[in-house]
Amino acid sequence: MADNPFFAPSTLPYQLPPFAQIREEHYLPAFERGMADQLQEVAAIANNPEPATFANTVEALERSGQILKRTSIVFFSIASSDATDGIRAIETEISPKLTKHRDAIHLDRALYARIKQVTTEDPEEAWLLEKYRVDFVRAGAELSEEEQERLKALNEELSTLSTTFSQNLLTASTASALVTEDRTELDGLAESTLQAIHKDGKYVLPLLNFTNQPALAELTDRETRRKLYELSVGRAPENFELAVRMATLRAERAALLGYPNHAAYTVADQTAKTTEAVEELLAKLVGPTMANARREAEALSEQAGFAIEPWDWSFYAEKVRKARYDFDSSELHPYFELDRVLKDGIFHAATELYGITFADRTDLIGYHPDVRVYEVFDTDGAPLGLFLFDPYARPTKRGGAWMNNLVDQSHLFGELPVVMNNLNVTKPAEGPTLLTFYEVSTAFHEFGHALHGLFSDVRFPRVSGTEVPRDFVEYPSQVNEMWATWPSVLANFARHHETGEPVPDELLEKMRAAEKFNQGFTTLEYLAATLLDWAWHKLAPGEDVKDAEAFEAAALERAGVAFPLVRPRYRTNYFAHIFSDGVGGYSAGYYSYIWSEVLDADSVEWFKENGGLRRENGDHFRSRLLSVGGSKDAMDAFRDFRGRDPRIEPLLERRGLLT
């Protein structure tokens, strides 16, 4: 396959992958050649007769594996965004091979010995050198040969299991969809939604990847709500067994690497550092959150006139919201048209805050017809990077929303970033795409990740953009959510899709007044998922779990967050964050969102204290934090920006948890 597009760098602007030329049959040969080439490059580094230097060892490793990197970054982006049967088959075949390949590098004794010999006086080089040293130790470089063989077997099995878990879940989103021919069962759904889900005489409402399906807030038929909820919590039951096996293997691997459990192994390389630090934060939230949720449940049952069930919560929450605040969230939908949200909201805020500008690149092709490509320019008009936007749900796309890099910024290679955002908005059969406020907020959030990648200004790919600790990576994206409700930004994009009239001030005031309502539910479903993740990954080596559902129930009870009306945002069987490594490896790391939100809420307070949407503020946030990527300690970067350590009080105030 001499014409394989992965064998040479892309000639397109910013090295955008040549999606028009890439075919499924290109992937496996490119993976095989990429792995073989990198192993040769690594062998040359490890066996170099010259004394070990930063340039001939660490920098040489940074330069290795370019074919493999190009192939992997495109393939796994496609596997998340547009996974055909062919892509899934390739993923099943290649995932364990890639795991073997990574182990072959990290467990190369000669290579590790050479890394330990390197010294450098340059601070940026010294930071990267330490990163490599830690990477190798955490990957098992200092284990005995026998221990390394067991580690390889564990890694290979975990890779296979996580791929199967992910693919089961993708299949279940449609296989477990709510299907009906009776339109009256779907009373309450918007006409545009009904049109979008109507196929071959049936209405097919697919599942999104969390417990509480958005349609539960709108469906008036209680039996339909029950069916939808039970389909949601019961999907992919085969994944329970996979989860037990994965948690068990991770516990064994942690012990092999010298840790008491997988949670301890995970946080040691994060900003939290210890399991005690994580548990201290979570413990502060449990009591106030449960009290808040119980108060909300009482109000909902009073509104309903009967003791509500979990499938009733969202529906009656909307009714209480309307009764208390005279606010119906559906009234906002006509004002949140997708294109306006993107260009007059997200892009506008970025221009005001950072001075960057955007241009449509309709001449550049994405991996799917729905993908839009934009060129991003810096304050002086210089090229900054490319931004790809993929807003719509489809059967081949996994649930949720996320950001990927297609090209990492680095001065080493002279490369500018190419980043992408994925959402899962229902595509209307015709007419404009109208968003919920949650979808608007999510779009701003994901663009915060995109900015982290676009503003990266580092030398080495290993520390580019969002290559920061997992419990820090959500922080900049959560900060970016604040601009969704900033008055001047909101006024710029929140206009009626038919009349162009701005959203009425009184409606906005009602929305702001209602913001803290239902925070008990929102915080509890997140906290329950966090503590469930924690329970799975504090398993001791050899601990036997016979029934995953019983383990889940006991874990929630033990953590003090068992509440029948509010289940975890993700149950074990569809908790992709922690059981699908390809999603981002949040195992024992789902706490990251609330950990990052402490930093986020404190930073939002700083922006407000300093005048909000001002270029000086954006320049400060960009230079001190966004641009440094992972090239320095994450908490040092926060302190450089904020001027002190973070405080938890702004988070508690935001979530209505201050007593």
Side-chain angles (χ1 to χ4, degrees), residues 1-28:
M1 275 194 160
D3 62 342
N4 192 308
F6 292 113
F7 287 174
S10 170
T11 58
L12 293 174
Y14 301 89
Q15 295 191 40
L16 176 72
F19 292 111
Q21 300 172 27
I22 295 170
R23 301 189 302 276
E24 286 183 3
E25 58 264 31
H26 289 137
Y27 287 114
L28 281 175

Side-chain angles (χ1 to χ4, degrees), residues 569-586:
R569 182 170 173 81
Y570 305 100
R571 292 191 68 209
T572 300
N573 44 320
Y574 47 93
F575 209 157
H577 282 76
I578 67 172
F579 291 120
S580 295
D581 282 350
V583 171
Y586 275 86

Side-chain angles (χ1 to χ4, degrees), residues 80-81 195 236 289 328 377 385 408 430 451 480 486 548 618 636 658:
S80 294
S81 303
Q195 291 177 8
T289 297
D328 181 349
F377 299 94
D408 293 324
E430 57 184 22
L451 289 171
N480 204 60
W486 195 258
D636 283 347
L658 280 178

Side-chain angles (χ1 to χ4, degrees), residues 567-621:
R567 272 178 148 153
R569 182 170 173 81
Y570 305 100
R571 292 191 68 209
T572 300
N573 44 320
Y574 47 93
F575 209 157
H577 282 76
I578 67 172
F579 291 120
S580 295
D581 282 350
V583 171
Y586 275 86
S587 60
Y590 195 62
Y591 77 90
S592 300
Y593 288 92
I594 202 77
W595 187 272
S596 291
E597 196 179 346
V598 173
L599 311 180
D600 153 39
D602 203 5
S603 298
V604 167
E605 187 176 78
W606 178 90
F607 272 102
K608 290 179 178 178
E609 289 170 353
N610 288 276
L613 194 72
R614 299 170 61 237
R615 274 293 308 280
E616 295 90 336
N617 292 343
D619 290 346
H620 181 65
F621 193 51

Side-chain angles (χ1 to χ4, degrees), residues 420-556:
M420 57 189 285
N421 277 174
N422 271 267
L423 307 179
N424 260 284
V425 176
T426 299
K427 188 175 185 180
E430 57 184 22
T433 302
L434 303 180
L435 307 182
T436 65
F437 181 70
Y438 173 80
E439 289 169 333
V440 172
S441 183
T442 298
F444 272 85
H445 174 101
E446 294 306 328
F447 194 71
H449 286 305
L451 289 171
H452 206 174
L454 287 166
F455 286 150
S456 179
D457 187 16
V458 300
R459 182 174 163 193
F460 301 109
R462 170 65 179 81
V463 294
S464 179
T466 56
E467 287 293 326
V468 296
R470 178 58 61 194
D471 58 8
F472 193 83
V473 74
E474 298 297 335
Y475 155 51
S477 54
Q478 289 172 329
V479 169
N480 204 60
E481 292 178 38
M482 72 178 289
W483 308 118
T485 54
W486 195 258
S488 63
V489 177
L490 195 59
N492 204 56
F493 75 82
R495 293 181 174 271
H496 198 284
H497 71 98
E498 291 178 336
T499 67
E501 290 295 312
V503 60
D505 288 340
E506 62 184 73
L507 187 56
L508 292 177
E509 287 306 313
K510 291 175 184 178
M511 180 186 78
R512 292 189 182 103
E515 273 182 344
K516 287 182 184 174
F517 175 72
N518 214 37
Q519 277 296 323
F521 173 89
T522 302
T523 306
L524 180 54
E525 69 162 5
Y526 165 78
L527 194 56
T530 300
L531 290 162
L532 177 60
D533 166 34
W534 205 245
W536 278 118
H537 293 112
K538 285 203 78 178
L539 281 181
E543 188 173 342
D544 188 22
V545 177
K546 299 189 182 302
D547 184 328
E549 292 191 79
F551 176 89
E552 176 178 295
L556 298 175

Side-chain angles (χ1 to χ4, degrees), residues 41-49 56-57 108-112 114:
E41 292 162 349
V42 167
I45 296 167
N47 299 317
N48 187 343
N56 68 20
T57 304
D108 185 319
R109 295 188 183 281
L111 179 62
Y112 179 55
R114 192 170 178 85

